[in-house]
Amino acid sequence: MLNTVKLTGSIPSAPTAPLLSPRDPKNYIYFTNQYYTINGNVQVNLTQLFRIKPFDHRYNPYIVLGMGRMIADLKTERYFSYPVELDNFNFYIYNVGLANKIYLTKSFDLQFSAIFTGSQSPFIDLIGFNTTDYDDYLTCCRGTNYGTK
């Protein structure tokens, strides 16, 4: 799976208190991160794995597990320090989530999912990048599938 995402963030007003460090999160005006992820994911059907019968045959829950790489281009603007730019910064990510397919007809279904992505880097937003506090995010998705079965 190949994804592309652009993340942006900003701090609404200038800090009023003196900053302890140029890397203090209050020092940031904004950041942007245009990143690409390359993932391998496995979907495990829970009804088949645990041999349970769902309350309705149209519902089909899954667990999503995976890992991959993130390639990020980061830029920040700060109040009291130099801007930071990192191009083509690579690190590992992992995915854990839940998905559910709802079969409406033989050829049409809906899919809903919530996937947590953890990273091996604090560089997704470049805030507090001098720490070992790694960045994570949650992605919620919905989709449709149509085709003959």
Side-chain angles (χ1 to χ4, degrees):
M1 181 185 320
L2 175 66
N3 296 323
T4 179
V5 177
K6 183 171 185 177
L7 264 168
T8 59
S10 64
I11 296 181
S13 60
T16 55
L19 299 174
L20 301 174
S21 155
R23 293 184 175 160
D24 188 327
K26 295 180 193 121
N27 190 12
Y28 288 81
I29 298 172
Y30 71 86
F31 74 90
T32 61
N33 183 356
Q34 176 77 39
Y35 67 86
Y36 302 92
T37 61
I38 300 169
N39 293 336
N41 290 331
V42 174
Q43 290 189 0
V44 180
N45 187 327
L46 292 177
T47 56
Q48 292 177 359
L49 179 67
F50 296 115
R51 301 195 191 286
I52 55 176
K53 186 171 177 134
F55 62 92
D56 188 338
H57 70 281
R58 295 179 302 165
Y59 293 90
N60 207 353
Y62 292 87
I63 290 178
V64 179
L65 304 169
M67 61 183 303
R69 298 281 290 168
M70 180 182 281
I71 300 110
D73 289 328
L74 300 123
K75 294 178 179 60
T76 65
E77 187 68 38
R78 302 191 277 178
Y79 285 109
F80 303 113
S81 185
Y82 56 90
V84 175
E85 291 189 23
L86 292 174
D87 293 327
N88 293 323
F89 187 74
N90 293 288
F91 48 89
Y92 288 104
I93 57 174
Y94 63 90
N95 304 313
V96 178
L98 294 173
N100 190 18
K101 283 189 180 180
I102 304 169
Y103 297 100
L104 300 177
T105 67
K106 277 187 163 185
S107 59
F108 185 74
D109 62 71
L110 300 174
Q111 181 170 349
F112 299 95
S113 64
I115 299 173
F116 172 82
T117 301
S119 72
Q120 198 181 33
S121 172
F123 288 105
I124 291 180
D125 59 6
L126 269 180
I127 294 175
F129 66 89
N130 209 19
T131 68
T132 57
D133 213 7
Y134 293 155
D135 291 336
D136 331 305
Y137 58 93
L138 180 69
T139 307
C140 297
C141 306
R142 68 181 185 281
T144 59
N145 295 314
Y146 180 78
T148 58
K149 294 185 181 183

